[in-house]
Amino acid sequence: MTGATGPADHSAGPGAGGGGRVEPDARFTFANERTFLAWSRTALALVVAGLGIVQLLPPFPGVSWGRHLIGVPLIVLGAIVAGAGYGEWVRNQRALRRGAPVPRSLLPVILTVTITVMALLSAIVVLLSATR
């Protein structure tokens, strides 16, 4: 029986491969999968936002490269978040199966720093455009 405080240890049961592997409580596995799907949605939103900025936003007067300066890093960040989100899912699942602590994620820091920098760059582009 699985307790609410941690994964059940089925390593002694049939088909156990040993090596300290446990079958985690399904709720933790599903929560890990939902987190992965949230990172995937975030990545997709970043890519779509970047494409929208580059392709649909009117050019900034006097700053012809402004759309690309804002949009392309968002597309790249979306690709990074997609790949890193999968890596996080794998690492978390392995930790759950070992009964180890879930590793810390760098994705929130990466997103926060990049989005902050992008907001500042956007403000600079808008100000440059307004002065021309």
Side-chain angles (χ1 to χ4, degrees):
M1 179 114 211
T2 301
T5 58
D9 185 355
H10 297 137
S11 58
R21 291 179 57 104
V22 296
E23 188 60 33
D25 184 329
R27 294 173 294 180
F28 300 125
T29 297
F30 294 144
N32 188 33
E33 184 176 318
R34 283 190 303 274
T35 302
F36 165 69
L37 293 172
W39 285 123
S40 296
R41 285 189 302 271
T42 300
L44 182 59
L46 288 164
V47 170
V48 169
L51 285 171
I53 289 168
V54 170
Q55 294 297 315
L56 303 175
L57 190 68
F60 291 98
V63 189
S64 60
W65 43 266
R67 293 183 303 172
H68 289 85
L69 181 69
I70 297 168
V72 172
L74 291 176
I75 296 169
V76 172
L77 179 60
I80 291 168
V81 169
Y86 178 75
E88 295 271 330
W89 175 78
V90 169
R91 286 183 16 201
N92 290 340
Q93 200 61 30
R94 284 184 185 147
L96 288 171
R97 291 191 182 286
R98 286 192 311 261
V102 175
R104 289 186 185 218
S105 174
L106 290 178
L107 280 174
V109 173
I110 292 169
L111 274 174
T112 301
V113 168
T114 306
I115 291 172
T116 301
V117 168
M118 294 309 306
L120 294 172
L121 284 175
S122 298
I124 291 168
V125 168
V126 168
L127 290 172
L128 285 174
S129 165
T131 61
R132 296 181 185 219

